Structures are given as C-alpha cells and as structure tokens.
Amino acid sequence: MKKKSSKTILAAVVIIILLTAVLICFFSFRKGAQKQYATDPVSVSDISSTVTIKGIIRGVKEGEIYSDSQYRIKNIPVKKGDMVRKDQVLAVLDIEKLQQQYDIARIDYDSAKKYYDDTKALFETGSVPQNTLDQAEKALEKAELACRIYDIENAGEIRSSMDGVVTEIKCSEGGYAAFSAIGQPAFVIEDRSKLLLKADLKEKYLDSVYPGQDAEITAEAMDDMTAAGKVTEIAPSGKVNPSTDTVVIPITIEIEDPSDRWMTGITGKAKLSMTADAALTVSIDAVSERDDETAVYVLSDDGTVRKVLIDTGINDGDTIQVTGGQLAEGDKLVLDPDTYIFE
C-alpha cells in the first residue's frame, strides 16, 4: 500500500510540474506574441495638402441706417436689391404738422428780426433805452431757437450714409420711423464693391496660411460656381468656437473679379493649398484619436510601449504633420494602436 501511495503522489507531482511548464510556456509565448508590433518610424519630410474651410460671403462693409424721427413714413422709394448712393433718399416722412409749426416759427422770427433791427436803429439815435434793446435781442434769440427746433431741412427724409445695395428694409409705409427707440435700423446697406469670404481657420493650420495666399472659392448654392481668391487678413487673436470648444482664427479671403451672379449672405467654401517644409511627420495609421486626445505609441528597444500625446497639422492622406509632442526623428511608432490594449 505504501509503494502504491508513493507512486500515486509521484505521478501527481509529475503531472503538476508538466502542467505548470505548459502554462508557463503558453503565457510566455502569448506575452511575447503581443510585443510583435508592426511599426513605422517618425520622419522629417516636406508635406503638402489642400484644406477646405467654410464661411459666409459678405460685402466689404455694412451700414445700418437708424432714425429717431417721430413722424410716419409716407413713401419708401427703394426696394431690396436696389443700388443706392450716399445721401440718396431711402424714405420720405409725413412732416405736414412739422411744416406748419416751422411756418409759424418762421413768421415769428421774421417779426422778431424786424422789431430788433428797428429797435437797434432807435437805440443808436438815443430814442430808446438799453433795456428795450436787450428785450428785443432776447425775443430774437427765442424766435431763432424755435426755428431750429422745427427746422424741416433733412427732417422729412431718411438718407443712405454710404454707397451700396439695400439688403434689409425693416420699416414700412404708414409706420413710424423711430426705429432707434427699439434698437433696430430702418435700413441696412451693404457695400459690394468687394466680396469677402469670412471664415474660421482651425488653430493647427495657422502656420500654413499667410496674407496673399491663393484660394479657390466655391458657392454651393449657385451650382458650385467658382472664383479665384486671396487671403487678405488673418485676425491677430483667436476665439473659441462654442459648438466645438476649440480655438479658431478668423480669416478673410477676397473673391477676385466675381461675376454679377455672386450673392452675399450665402455659404462659400475656400480651398487652400498648404505646405510644410522639413516637418516632423508620422503615418496616419500610427495616430490614435480617442477621448478627445490625439496620441501615438512609441516602441522602445526593450519592448515597452509608451503613449505620447501630440498636436497635428496638415496631412496628405498618408502622413500627418506633428506640431507638438515629445517625438524625435527615428522613433518607432506602433501602427493601428487602437487594436491593442497597452498596460
């Protein structure tokens, strides 16, 4: 019985040792297999790409025409889309009562002026005292003030402050002209001597855009009509886009020689050709974008992998520019990193 028991124990020990060896080999093989990553090195190279940004096509300037007149509008001789000149009449007001008040004030002024002139002549001959002349002068000043209060010059009209196209008419015939009281313009005039595309550029493209840079402008709403353009202005400071919570840079692109068919207030797209010389670049397949982070995974010589957060710039479809992050030329990056789970 003792020999049989000893053999049984020995057999059990051997089996345990064999199973342990198999498990060690299995996990060692599995662990080693996980480290067989496909990699691609960080390079320094020239890169170019075309970036498309959207914006609104506008005129070079917009003018809001306000009125604080308390009179009703008799006639509006212009309509939306009309070309107007500076000082052109946009609305005629009903100032009949004002005219009547002015006519009365003018009669009073003429009478006060004649009385003052007669009194002054008499004063110079010593026929009337100083206080009589003073009273006549005060009466004349009062009459002059009344004429200014009821002055009808320009009071019966609303005029344009600039050359341009009428884009909005917020007043109406028969209504009151006092739109300033509600904080709204009666008319909006747009200077279309130049057409501009106002757009927001992503912060990462800032180094690749410059004043004078060529662009191609397309208007989708107008059968994809295109025109050449140039970047004319880059804002000196950025702003936060509330919808994406990212920083953008406002830029202005002037549309060169647009045809009469071009409209304002519609969406336009601008294609910008961008280049970066001797840039740090990586394969797009090495870039991971998860949880609002952009990262790559660097494979060290000892087989360990470390995560590196990066900022990116332009890409050509195969490679992408790295504008920030602790990377160096020659670093080995794990391709398709999102297919692995790194410790």
Side-chain angles (χ1 to χ4, degrees), residues 86-189:
K86 183 179 180 181
D87 293 327
Q88 182 173 332
V89 175
L90 303 177
V92 178
L93 308 183
D94 184 357
I95 57 169
E96 182 179 352
K97 291 183 179 179
L98 179 64
Q99 180 71 58
Q100 293 172 354
Q101 292 170 321
Y102 177 78
D103 291 342
I104 293 171
R106 185 68 195 187
I107 292 172
D108 291 344
Y109 171 80
D110 291 342
S111 176
K113 182 70 167 61
K114 184 178 185 307
Y115 177 72
Y116 173 78
D117 290 341
D118 292 345
T119 302
K120 184 178 180 182
L122 291 173
F123 173 77
E124 290 173 349
T125 61
S127 300
V128 295
Q130 178 68 49
N131 67 329
T132 301
L133 179 62
D134 291 342
Q135 290 174 357
E137 185 177 10
K138 289 181 180 180
L140 178 60
E141 290 174 352
K142 184 177 180 180
E144 286 177 338
L145 178 60
C147 282
R148 288 197 295 270
I149 291 174
Y150 300 119
D151 185 12
I152 60 173
E153 185 178 1
N154 298 325
E157 300 164 337
I158 300 175
R159 294 176 177 267
S160 177
S161 61
M162 57 185 282
D163 294 347
V165 176
V166 180
T167 58
E168 289 188 62
I169 301 177
K170 297 189 176 182
C171 55
S172 60
E173 293 181 358
Y176 286 99
F179 270 67
S180 295
I182 58 176
Q184 288 190 6
F187 297 86
V188 178
I189 310 296

Side-chain angles (χ1 to χ4, degrees), residues 217-229:
I217 313 298
T218 303
E220 293 180 341
M222 305 178 69
D223 299 325
D224 288 331
M225 187 166 58
T226 62

Side-chain angles (χ1 to χ4, degrees), residues 75-89:
N75 180 38
I76 299 176
V78 297
K79 61 183 182 298
K80 283 185 179 182
D82 282 357
M83 179 71 190
V84 296
R85 297 294 182 186
K86 183 179 180 181
D87 293 327
Q88 182 173 332
V89 175

